[in-house]
Amino acid sequence: MRLARPLENLIDQLLKLPGIGPKTAQRLALYILKLPEMEARQLAQAIVDCRQKVFPCSRCGYLTDFDPCLICSDESRDKSLICIGEESSDVIAIERTGFRGQYFVLNKDFNLMEDKGLEDLNLKPLEDRLATGEIKEVVLALNPDMDGEVMSRFLATVAGSFGVKVTRLAHGLPVGGDIEFADEITLRRALEGRKEL
Amino acid sequence: MRLARPLENLIDQLLKLPGIGPKTAQRLALYILKLPEMEARQLAQAIVDCRQKVFPCSRCGYLTDFDPCLICSDESRDKSLICIGEESSDVIAIERTGFRGQYFVLNKDFNLMEDKGLEDLNLKPLEDRLATGEIKEVVLALNPDMDGEVMSRFLATVAGSFGVKVTRLAHGLPVGGDIEFADEITLRRALEGRKEL
């Protein structure tokens, strides 16, 4: 099929994005072509700006445009409680729950089966914060999969060596879920973690 | 939720695109943030380039980066056969069938119930081509909905006045479809258009 070269190039670029297949890429590219030039420029500028101006906070690793980030510099937050997550997107999700502690974001894709991620994990800023004695509890909020489990144990050892309480998110039935369709591991965890009413 | 401002801006820009909801916009923005700066720039540049360099062919209206477009200037194509479509995306779809005629793209969202689209429809380039007498058949390939039907009749009158044969795409069962679930209008059209084996 003969497409105009700049159009084909845009489709190729969009195809690199996650979850964008050939049909979606084509639809998006044709839509962008119909945008007023100003709006197309704004979109392009937003991409460049975002990539240039946003970086991980030096203290907690959360994506920010100034350092330390808004969460770290918020005096109303509970400094004795720190939640460790894998990515900034996890922080965004946890923030929606109303959590008022602080964070530490690992910013690493770790795949322990392939021995990836542990070697260049920079825990120095976390250890510095733990060393101040200000932190009373570390909540581990890693994904409930094999890598997350192993990483949680590793981080529990690190944090535990500073004598702080280490907890992790509860496993159990998702709210709105169906017992009938829950996998046996989740159901076993839900049983183990049963609560008195 | 507190997001870095450039990140929030990028998410807002992505949200304007069709089929992109808040979760997808966030995922895309965070992905773009992780791209090497070079690749983020390429994506931004592709958007600007596409918007600046691609325009409708003056002869057929198909999106192109030079005029006349590749299809119009392809000497091996059948110049006596012209297919009229609504958008360049329709041409892309028809090209995949191996159609070897030429095209005329209306480039208009028409909504006849609201009396939109007809007044600023520029049929001059089409009429000029019909007037040369080179064209023997016009194939109408408008969407099979109410607006497409009305527009097809209108275009049939215009093209018919030049004494050319006017056809339109067949209606019938989609290949791989299920008779049981076909709507009655489609099924009636399929019956009317039945073919001898």
Side-chain angles (χ1 to χ4, degrees):
Chain A
M1 180 46 213
R2 288 160 164 189
L3 287 180
R5 202 175 306 256
L7 181 57
E8 205 158 311
N9 180 33
L10 178 56
I11 292 175
D12 287 345
Q13 294 288 338
L14 292 171
L15 268 174
K16 294 181 188 168
L17 300 177
I20 306 281
K23 289 212 169 179
T24 310
Q26 181 187 305
R27 199 176 68 229
L28 290 177
L30 290 171
Y31 180 87
I32 288 169
L33 259 177
K34 282 191 182 176
L35 285 178
E37 180 149 358
M38 190 61 187
E39 283 185 40
R41 282 195 177 280
Q42 279 170 350
L43 173 59
Q45 194 57 48
I47 291 170
V48 173
D49 276 359
C50 195
R51 187 61 194 71
Q52 276 186 337
K53 296 182 186 162
V54 178
F55 53 90
C57 169
S58 66
R59 190 165 174 274
C60 77
Y62 180 59
L63 291 169
T64 180
D65 53 340
F66 49 93
D67 201 29
C69 72
L70 274 168
I71 295 177
C72 281
S73 44
D74 182 346
E75 287 300 322
S76 73
R77 282 179 172 262
D78 184 353
K79 286 195 172 54
S80 70
L81 185 61
I82 182 171
C83 176
I84 303 187
E86 201 171 322
E87 298 284 351
S88 288
S89 49
D90 300 328
V91 172
I92 296 172
I94 293 164
E95 278 290 280
R96 284 201 208 99
T97 67
F99 179 81
R100 294 293 297 162
Q102 294 197 323
Y103 294 94
F104 185 75
V105 184
L106 299 172
N107 281 325
K108 275 290 158 236
D109 292 329
F110 37 78
N111 184 333
L112 299 165
M113 293 292 270
E114 293 176 17
D115 211 18
K116 266 199 281 192
L118 267 179
E119 68 288 350
D120 51 4
L121 198 61
N122 178 17
L123 295 180
K124 183 77 172 51
L126 175 66
E127 289 168 333
D128 288 349
R129 284 164 75 183
L130 285 165
T132 63
E134 203 175 34
I135 294 166
K136 300 283 172 263
E137 181 179 348
V138 170
V139 184
L140 299 173
L142 285 88
N143 284 329
D145 54 18
M146 182 75 85
D147 290 326
E149 290 292 322
V150 177
M151 185 54 85
S152 289
R153 276 163 207 242
F154 172 69
L155 291 170
T157 316
V158 173
S161 69
F162 288 87
V164 301
K165 184 174 163 190
V166 182
T167 57
R168 73 150 174 223
L169 297 186
H171 289 305
L173 297 173
V175 177
D178 204 321
I179 291 179
E180 186 183 357
F181 300 120
D183 66 287
E184 65 271 26
I185 302 178
T186 301
L187 204 49
R188 194 182 306 138
R189 294 285 176 85
L191 265 171
E192 286 165 7
R194 64 191 181 277
K195 301 222 169 180
E196 202 176 323
L197 290 180
Chain B
M1 180 46 212
R2 288 160 164 188
L3 287 180
R5 202 175 306 255
L7 181 58
E8 205 158 312
N9 180 33
L10 178 56
I11 292 175
D12 287 345
Q13 293 289 338
L14 292 170
L15 268 174
K16 293 181 189 168
L17 300 177
I20 306 281
K23 290 213 169 179
T24 309
Q26 181 187 305
R27 199 177 68 229
L28 291 177
L30 290 172
Y31 181 87
I32 288 169
L33 259 177
K34 282 192 182 176
L35 285 177
E37 179 149 359
M38 190 61 188
E39 283 185 40
R41 282 196 177 278
Q42 280 169 351
L43 173 58
Q45 194 57 47
I47 290 169
V48 173
D49 275 359
C50 195
R51 187 60 193 71
Q52 276 185 336
K53 295 182 185 163
V54 178
F55 53 90
C57 168
S58 66
R59 189 165 174 273
C60 77
Y62 179 59
L63 291 169
T64 180
D65 53 340
F66 49 93
D67 201 29
C69 71
L70 274 168
I71 295 177
C72 281
S73 44
D74 182 347
E75 286 300 323
S76 73
R77 283 179 172 262
D78 185 352
K79 287 196 171 55
S80 70
L81 185 61
I82 183 171
C83 175
I84 303 187
E86 201 171 322
E87 298 284 352
S88 288
S89 49
D90 300 328
V91 172
I92 296 172
I94 293 165
E95 277 290 280
R96 284 200 208 99
T97 67
F99 179 81
R100 294 293 297 162
Q102 295 197 322
Y103 294 94
F104 185 75
V105 184
L106 299 171
N107 281 325
K108 275 291 158 234
D109 292 328
F110 37 78
N111 184 334
L112 299 165
M113 292 292 269
E114 292 176 17
D115 212 17
K116 266 199 279 192
L118 267 180
E119 68 287 350
D120 51 3
L121 198 61
N122 178 16
L123 295 180
K124 183 76 172 53
L126 175 66
E127 288 168 333
D128 288 349
R129 284 164 75 184
L130 285 165
T132 63
E134 203 175 34
I135 294 166
K136 300 283 172 266
E137 180 179 348
V138 170
V139 185
L140 299 173
L142 284 88
N143 284 329
D145 54 18
M146 183 75 86
D147 290 326
E149 290 291 322
V150 177
M151 185 54 84
S152 289
R153 275 161 208 243
F154 171 69
L155 290 170
T157 316
V158 173
S161 70
F162 288 87
V164 302
K165 184 175 163 190
V166 182
T167 57
R168 73 151 175 223
L169 297 186
H171 289 305
L173 297 173
V175 177
D178 204 321
I179 291 180
E180 186 183 357
F181 301 120
D183 66 288
E184 65 271 25
I185 302 178
T186 301
L187 204 50
R188 194 182 305 138
R189 294 286 176 86
L191 266 172
E192 287 165 6
R194 65 190 180 276
K195 300 222 169 179
E196 202 176 322
L197 290 179

